[in-house]
Amino acid sequence: MTNQFNDLIVLLVIVGVIVFILFNTLITVSQQTVGVIERLGKFVRVARAGLNIKIPFIETISGRMSLRVLQLDVPVETKTKDNVFVKVAVSVQYHVKNEAIYDAFYKLTNPNTQITSFVFDVVRAQVPKMDLDDVFEKKDTIAQAVKEELAELMSNFGYDIVKALVTDIDPDAKVKAAMNEINEQRRLRMAAEQKGEAEKIIIVKRAEADAASLRLSGQGIADQRRAIIEGLRESVGQFQQSVPGTSPLDVMNLVLVTQYYDTLKEIGGNNKATTLLLPSVPEGNNTFASTLRDSMLTAQIAADQNK
């Protein structure tokens, strides 16, 4: 019974030793990850994704590295050329070169710290050369400068810089308030200019409309007078044919008297008219007609002399 128990213990020990050896012999590596294997402290090889075998107790996995694209966000505070303090947020996307795993693992103690230091150096060399407005307009230039500088430096350490992006530019709060005030005043000025232009157009168009109205009114009056003259000419001719022995002067006097009384009748028929009537007697109509006729003849003579 004792021998069987001892044999069982020995068997369990052997199984435990085998399991322990297998546990230290077989290693698994995840996808897009590599394991750095050292033999007695010296780099031997790189374990790729899947199941790998190493010499137990002699070879060890010193570390694992991801081959995925990583992103590091670096906030940098610096000053512009016009003495404005600004915070620039830079995002750097990078990954380990598949053929330079040894350099990436052994040459840099902390890659994030190294990249951060280089980003600080590049941004603080670029931004102080620009005014604040240029920083906003040329953020792609800053990002390109960061990428080129990092790509050259980090390539020696086994890293490839995929992209560098300026994700945020944040000036001081007082500066932002001042910028907003400037933009507001600029927009108000533009609105005032547009309003002035609109009012100017309205005034010009109103003046043009008044001028056109006066021109058309003048043409209408001229046409009306021309029609009156033509009508008078026809009336005089017809009256002379109907009443033999009448002269054109008699006909004109009759027409003027008729229009005179028609006017008085029209004024009297309007209840709301406010009109001042001067004394008038029929005996003065001849004098009135003579005066009006002499004026028309004088005007005609003056027009002929001008021609």
Side-chain angles (χ1 to χ4, degrees):
M1 186 69 180
T2 303
N3 292 332
Q4 291 179 352
F5 182 75
N6 292 333
D7 292 340
L8 180 59
I9 293 176
V10 172
L11 180 60
L12 291 175
V13 170
I14 293 173
V15 172
V17 170
I18 293 173
V19 171
F20 182 74
I21 292 173
L22 289 175
F23 181 78
N24 285 275
T25 301
L26 301 177
I27 57 174
T28 58
V29 180
S30 301
Q31 187 67 33
Q32 289 298 101
T33 306
V34 294
V36 178
I37 298 179
E38 294 180 350
R39 181 181 300 166
L40 300 177
K42 182 180 179 181
F43 174 77
V44 179
R45 65 182 182 278
V46 174
R48 302 290 176 176
L51 182 64
N52 293 267
I53 299 175
K54 67 180 181 63
I55 301 175
F57 311 113
I58 297 177
E59 295 181 347
T60 58
I61 296 182
S62 180
R64 300 172 186 265
M65 297 194 71
S66 175
L67 299 180
R68 297 177 181 178
V69 176
L70 306 176
Q71 178 167 310
L72 177 64
D73 296 324
V74 183
V76 183
E77 185 175 5
T78 183
K79 186 175 70 170
T80 62
K81 185 178 180 181
D82 48 354
N83 296 323
V84 177
F85 284 93
V86 61
K87 293 180 181 178
V88 181
V90 181
S91 295
V92 180
Q93 298 175 351
Y94 66 98
H95 68 87
V96 177
K97 292 182 179 181
N98 197 22
E99 67 279 4
I101 297 174
Y102 175 87
D103 294 334
F105 188 81
Y106 287 101
K107 285 188 176 182
L108 289 181
T109 303
N110 190 335
N112 290 347
T113 303
Q114 310 294 64
I115 293 175
T116 300
S117 299
F118 289 134
V119 171
F120 267 82
D121 181 66
V122 175
V123 172
R124 288 180 174 174
Q126 292 290 327
V127 174
K129 300 177 183 179
M130 306 177 183
D131 293 330
L132 181 60
D133 293 338
D134 294 336
V135 174
F136 283 94
E137 294 177 1
K138 299 180 180 180
K139 67 183 187 67
D140 293 337
T141 303
I142 299 174
Q144 185 63 25
V146 172
K147 181 180 183 301
E148 292 176 357
E149 187 74 15
L150 286 177
E152 182 179 355
L153 294 172
M154 298 303 294
S155 178
N156 299 326
F157 301 116
Y159 287 88
D160 185 24
I161 304 299
V162 178
K163 191 74 173 178
L165 301 171
V166 176
T167 57
D168 188 24
I169 300 173
D170 186 19
D172 186 77
K174 294 182 180 179
V175 176
K176 289 194 291 185
M179 293 174 64
N180 292 333
E181 182 69 20
I182 292 172
N183 290 331
E184 181 181 359
Q185 294 301 324
R186 183 183 295 115
R187 294 181 183 276
L188 289 175
R189 184 181 65 186
M190 293 175 61
E193 291 177 354
Q194 294 297 327
K195 183 178 179 181
E197 288 295 328
E199 292 178 352
K200 177 182 176 182
I201 292 173
I202 292 174
I203 293 173
V204 171
K205 292 300 181 182
R206 185 182 295 119
E208 292 177 353
D210 292 340
S213 177
L214 292 174
R215 183 175 62 253
L216 294 176
S217 177
Q219 292 178 357
I221 293 174
D223 293 340
Q224 180 184 12
R225 290 177 177 176
R226 189 179 300 108
I228 291 174
I229 293 172
E230 293 294 332
L232 289 174
R233 182 184 295 114
E234 293 178 1
S235 298
V236 170
Q238 293 175 0
F239 195 86
Q240 286 179 335
Q241 293 176 2
S242 300
V243 183
T246 57
S247 65
L249 179 60
D250 296 332
V251 176
M252 287 298 299
N253 290 334
L254 178 60
V255 171
L256 290 174
V257 171
T258 303
Q259 289 182 348
Y260 176 74
Y261 281 110
D262 289 341
T263 303
L264 292 178
K265 181 180 178 180
E266 183 179 356
I267 293 174
N270 190 355
N271 296 328
K272 297 182 180 180
T274 303
T275 307
L276 178 63
L277 294 177
L278 297 176
S280 177
V281 294
E283 290 78 4
N285 289 334
N286 292 331
T287 304
F288 174 74
S290 299
T291 303
L292 181 61
R293 183 177 62 255
D294 293 341
S295 298
M296 295 176 62
L297 292 174
T298 303
Q300 183 63 37
I301 293 171
D304 294 339
Q305 289 178 353
N306 290 332
K307 292 182 179 179

